[in-house]
């Protein structure tokens, strides 16, 4: 295993993006989804107005994004835990990565990942289900093809099923005795049961779905299910 797989909570951390081009804006937008404490973007060539205008046109504006038009300074990394080198200069990116390494800051170098100390994998994001993929640099094209295949497969059944589990979990915790909960949770994800439930959700067979769920859930709990939430009909 070339890379250690990890999901990082960055809500308490500052992040820095070096560069203001399209790749830098894309990385910035991806970071905003994880709600870091602050994202600082530094570039000497693009004006703040041009960057913010381009970023807002392409992505949803986030008030935690701060843009600074000037050369990078070492003290920009004060309090930063995650950094991205996204300039068009290999030399600038490499020097930036070295400074980050000296300061024990995780740094991703675009186009030359071996110069940094982490990579950003391809990923699928379904709110509650996030799947990260990498071929460890062997074939990014293969990784993208696999991502497309998985998306077609997962979005069809597993995402609605997980939506159902998310809705049922608090109901089970509130209405089922503690000693009985593990048995119910295991039964819900048992392969045959799970596949049958996913098929009923896909076909929108509500009454059959309720009868199926009643095999493992108390009927009083099944009656509390919000069908619109399962099928996203709200």
């Amino acid at each position: 295993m070339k890379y250690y797989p990890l999901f990082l909570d960055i809500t308490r951390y500052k992040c820095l993006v070096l560069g203001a081009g399209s790749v830098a804006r894309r990385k910035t937008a991806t970071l905003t989804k994880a709600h870091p404490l602050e994202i600082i973007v530094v570039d000497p060539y693009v004006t703040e107005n041009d960057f913010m205008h381009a970023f807002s046109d392409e992505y949803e504006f986030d008030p935690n994004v701060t843009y600074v038009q000037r050369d990078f300074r070492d003290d920009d990394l004060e309090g930063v835990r995650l950094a991205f080198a996204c300039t068009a200069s290999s030399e600038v990116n490499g020097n930036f990565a070295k400074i980050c390494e000296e300061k024990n800051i995780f740094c991703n170098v675009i186009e030359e990942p071996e110069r940094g100390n982490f990579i950003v994998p391809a990923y699928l994001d379904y709110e509650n289900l996030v799947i990260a993929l990498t071929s460890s640099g062997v074939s990014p094209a293969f990784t993208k093809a696999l991502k497309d295949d998985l998306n077609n497969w997962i979005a069809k059944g597993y995402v609605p099923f997980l939506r159902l589990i998310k809705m049922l979990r608090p109901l089970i915790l509130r209405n089922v005795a503690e000693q009985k909960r593990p048995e119910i949770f295991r039964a819900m994800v048992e392969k045959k049961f799970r596949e049958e439930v996913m098929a009923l959700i896909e076909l929108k067979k509500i009454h059959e779905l309720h009868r199926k769920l009643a095999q493992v859930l108390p009927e009083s709990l099944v009656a509390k299910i919000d069908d619109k939430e399962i099928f996203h009909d709200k």
Side-chain angles (χ1 to χ4, degrees):
M1 184 169 65
K2 185 175 180 180
Y3 295 101
Y4 186 80
L6 176 72
F7 285 88
L8 184 66
D9 179 358
I10 60 173
T11 54
R12 294 168 294 171
Y13 300 148
K14 290 170 61 178
C15 303
L16 188 144
V17 177
L18 186 65
S22 59
V23 174
R25 294 195 299 271
R26 185 172 71 248
K27 292 299 179 184
T28 301
T30 302
L31 281 170
T32 64
K33 296 178 181 180
H35 309 291
L37 189 65
E38 183 181 5
I39 304 170
I40 303 167
V41 182
V42 180
D43 187 284
Y45 304 111
V46 180
T47 67
E48 179 180 1
N49 184 64
D50 285 346
F51 174 82
M52 287 302 187
H53 187 272
F55 185 78
S56 298
D57 280 350
E58 296 168 330
Y59 309 102
E60 184 176 348
F61 173 75
D62 191 303
N64 286 336
V65 176
T66 300
Y67 182 77
V68 181
Q69 184 191 1
R70 58 167 168 73
D71 288 322
F72 162 76
R73 300 193 304 238
D74 285 15
D75 60 6
D76 288 330
L77 289 170
E78 186 69 33
V80 169
R81 297 297 297 274
L82 205 63
F84 294 82
C86 304
T87 78
S89 169
S90 176
E91 181 180 359
V92 170
N93 289 342
N95 291 338
F96 178 73
K98 288 180 182 177
I99 296 171
C100 288
E101 185 174 4
E102 292 169 359
K103 294 178 177 290
N104 294 317
I105 295 170
F106 286 115
C107 181
N108 171 250
V109 180
I110 305 303
E111 302 299 340
E112 297 179 286
E114 68 279 357
R115 303 188 74 170
N117 51 21
F118 82 96
I119 63 170
V120 179
Y123 69 92
L124 294 165
D125 183 1
Y126 305 105
E127 296 183 22
N128 305 297
L129 177 65
V130 179
I131 300 174
L133 305 165
T134 179
S135 62
S136 298
V138 174
S139 176
F142 171 78
T143 303
K144 183 181 184 305
L146 179 59
K147 174 182 173 181
D148 292 340
D149 289 346
L150 285 174
N151 183 51
N152 291 333
W153 176 55
I154 292 170
K156 190 175 182 180
Y158 283 90
V159 172
F161 178 77
L162 190 59
R163 192 183 303 134
L164 171 65
I165 295 294
K166 180 183 179 182
M167 183 182 65
L168 288 175
R169 183 175 178 82
L171 293 176
I172 294 170
L173 294 177
R174 288 197 302 266
N175 297 282
V176 177
E178 184 175 356
Q179 63 271 22
K180 294 183 178 180
R181 294 172 194 163
E183 180 183 349
I184 290 177
F185 286 130
R186 285 194 296 269
M188 286 287 296
V189 297
E190 188 272 329
K191 187 175 187 298
K192 186 174 184 296
F193 183 87
R194 183 181 70 230
E195 289 177 347
E196 291 176 357
V197 167
M198 288 192 294
L200 292 172
I201 293 175
E202 182 183 354
L203 296 171
K204 292 194 173 184
K205 292 187 175 182
I206 298 175
H207 298 303
E208 290 88 339
L209 175 63
H210 284 200
R211 284 198 293 269
K212 190 65 185 178
L213 293 174
Q215 293 178 10
V216 298
L217 298 172
E219 289 198 14
S220 59
L221 198 153
V222 174
K224 297 180 180 181
I225 292 175
D226 185 343
D227 298 319
K228 291 183 178 180
E229 185 172 339
I230 298 173
F231 299 109
H232 263 194
D233 289 336
K234 287 185 175 180

